[in-house]
Amino acid sequence: MSRILIAEDESRIAAFVEKGLRAQGFTTTVVGDGAAALDRATSGEFDLLVLDLGLPVLDGFTVLHRLRQFNADLPVVILTARDSPHDAVAALEGGADDYMVKPFQFAELLARIRLRLRDHRTAEPAVLRHGDLSLDLHTRRVRVDGRVVDLTAREFVLAECFLRNPGQVLSREQLLSHVWQYDFHPGSNIVDVYVRYLRNKLGHDHIETVRGMGYRLADPPPRPGGEDRSVR
């Protein structure tokens, strides 16, 4: 059963879309502002986001931009009153998978959602792997060298961020923005605290400190004979 996040501040439209999707067997959650939309969209709980552009707190373009900053590939269907070709092009080039203008026919929205879910399931890997470390995106289960490790929701999102960007140095500001959004001041040391938590659970050699820059996922040690164990 697919899980749909609906980011819409007009309660009448949100209720209409939610009722229709639930009648089709989807599990739905509605949020009414951009900050809540970004927080829930990056939680890993949902299979698709229906996103209005005119949201309070953060507009839809900002939500989309920050969602795509860390290669988050959650399918996004824009549902908006903005009928300007400029807005449509900007949204699609910014990472949206589809663009619909209000007023709309529910049958068409449903067809587009089903299409994007089908495309996503074909392309999305079920498991992210790096050396002896694996994250199952569906079951939210983490294994290190075959051993299951329990991570909190925040720890899982942080680990996922590293595995989606192998070899890339991620600054504290990037990690803070992606994992915590607005919960902490940019000067907070919460990133360092949670990296330490991850190292304690996954092994200290999995995450490297790059002095003055941030952190990155360490290259896995080669197998005997020189073969790399990384699967990316």
Side-chain angles (χ1 to χ4, degrees):
M1 183 181 297
S2 295
R3 302 153 299 177
I4 309 296
L5 177 62
I6 303 165
E8 172 61 66
D9 64 324
E10 293 187 38
S11 58
R12 179 180 58 85
I13 295 176
F16 173 70
V17 173
E18 181 176 39
K19 181 179 179 180
L21 290 177
R22 288 195 172 190
Q24 295 296 319
F26 294 101
T27 299
T28 60
T29 298
V30 175
V31 293
D33 66 76
L38 184 60
D39 182 60
R40 299 303 299 274
T42 56
S43 69
E45 301 172 16
F46 297 96
D47 301 300
L48 182 139
L49 169 62
V50 177
L51 178 65
D52 182 24
L53 292 180
L55 295 172
V57 186
L58 289 178
D59 67 21
F61 281 114
T62 303
V63 173
L64 181 63
H65 173 70
R66 294 187 180 178
L67 183 62
R68 295 307 188 217
Q69 268 188 320
F70 286 83
N71 299 326
D73 53 5
L74 180 73
V76 176
V77 175
I78 301 295
L79 183 62
T80 180
R82 300 184 186 182
D83 59 359
S84 163
H86 172 77
D87 285 332
V89 170
L92 293 170
E93 289 186 345
D97 298 274
D98 214 331
Y99 193 98
M100 285 193 66
V101 176
K102 304 170 186 174
F104 63 97
Q105 294 292 323
F106 178 76
E108 182 181 357
L109 175 63
L110 178 63
R112 294 189 186 214
I113 286 173
R114 284 176 168 162
L115 175 63
R116 298 309 167 193
L117 286 171
R118 186 168 65 246
D119 291 345
H120 182 66
R121 284 172 183 149
T122 300
E124 168 73 5
V127 181
L128 300 176
R129 302 182 190 276
H130 190 82
D132 63 0
L133 178 62
S134 68
L135 275 71
D136 191 312
L137 300 176
H138 294 166
T139 66
R140 314 292 285 179
R141 181 167 292 175
V142 181
R143 294 179 181 273
V144 178
D145 199 19
R147 172 177 55 89
V148 176
V149 177
D150 292 326
L151 298 183
T152 67
R154 296 282 193 192
E155 290 167 351
F156 188 95
V157 174
L158 183 58
E160 181 183 349
C161 184
F162 281 119
L163 266 79
R164 287 191 181 276
N165 298 275
Q168 180 179 337
V169 178
L170 301 174
S171 70
R172 289 171 176 82
E173 290 74 20
Q174 286 177 304
L175 294 170
L176 188 66
S177 173
H178 178 65
V179 180
W180 287 272
Q181 286 96 46
Y182 305 98
D183 292 350
F184 294 92
H185 186 275
S188 170
N189 71 338
I190 194 68
V191 171
D192 306 282
V193 171
Y194 270 77
V195 166
R196 185 168 68 248
Y197 291 162
L198 270 188
R199 283 171 167 164
N200 288 338
K201 292 184 176 183
L202 304 181
H204 289 263
D205 57 344
H206 282 92
I207 300 173
E208 295 178 339
T209 300
V210 181
R211 191 173 300 277
M213 297 178 66
Y215 298 99
R216 70 180 168 206
L217 193 65
D219 290 334
R223 284 182 172 177
E227 182 183 351
D228 192 338
R229 292 191 296 174
S230 175
V231 180
R232 301 180 184 176

